[in-house]
């Protein structure tokens, strides 16, 4: 049987740069569901919430952001995801 290729060692990889959270860096304490200018960059073209690794949001901000987007969808300010 052929041997499996060895994975790279952690020392071979580039050190990862920490990307600052765009919400925390602006000093926003409360994510309002009515603030569509704030919510739109965190949605893709199909109105789905972007992943944390894509948007760069920290865990706490992503949680509040998801709640605000869901609330805005309920109030019909932004559409539900389209197919």
């Amino acid at each position: 049987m052929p041997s499996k290729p060895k994975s790279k060692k952690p020392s071979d990889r580039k050190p990862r740069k920490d990307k600052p959270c765009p919400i925390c860096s602006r000093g926003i304490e409360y994510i309002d569901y009515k603030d569509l200018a704030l919510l739109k960059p965190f949605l893709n073209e199909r109105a789905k919430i972007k992943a944390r690794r894509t948007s760069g949001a920290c865990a706490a901000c992503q949680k509040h952001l998801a709640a605000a987007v869901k609330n805005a969808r309920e109030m019909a300010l932004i559409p539900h995801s389209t197919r």
Side-chain angles (χ1 to χ4, degrees):
M1 286 177 73
S3 63
K4 293 182 181 178
K6 293 183 180 179
S7 63
K8 288 186 175 183
K9 295 178 187 175
S11 60
D12 294 345
R13 295 183 193 147
K14 265 182 153 178
R16 197 177 112 204
K17 264 189 181 176
D18 286 335
K19 193 161 70 167
C21 174
I23 297 170
C24 293
S25 62
R26 289 189 210 166
I28 298 169
E29 293 180 14
Y30 177 72
I31 301 172
D32 191 17
Y33 72 93
K34 293 173 278 189
D35 189 3
L36 298 181
L38 174 66
L39 298 179
K40 288 282 185 178
F42 296 98
L43 301 173
N44 66 10
E45 65 277 352
R46 291 183 166 244
K48 289 176 142 187
I49 303 169
K50 288 184 182 177
R52 273 185 58 204
R53 66 177 177 265
T54 309
S55 66
C58 65
C61 290
Q62 182 74 11
K63 185 178 178 181
H64 296 300
L65 185 76
V69 168
K70 290 173 186 176
N71 203 350
R73 284 180 182 154
E74 282 291 314
M75 299 296 174
L77 297 175
I78 54 176
H80 286 272
S81 59
T82 57
R83 289 186 182 187

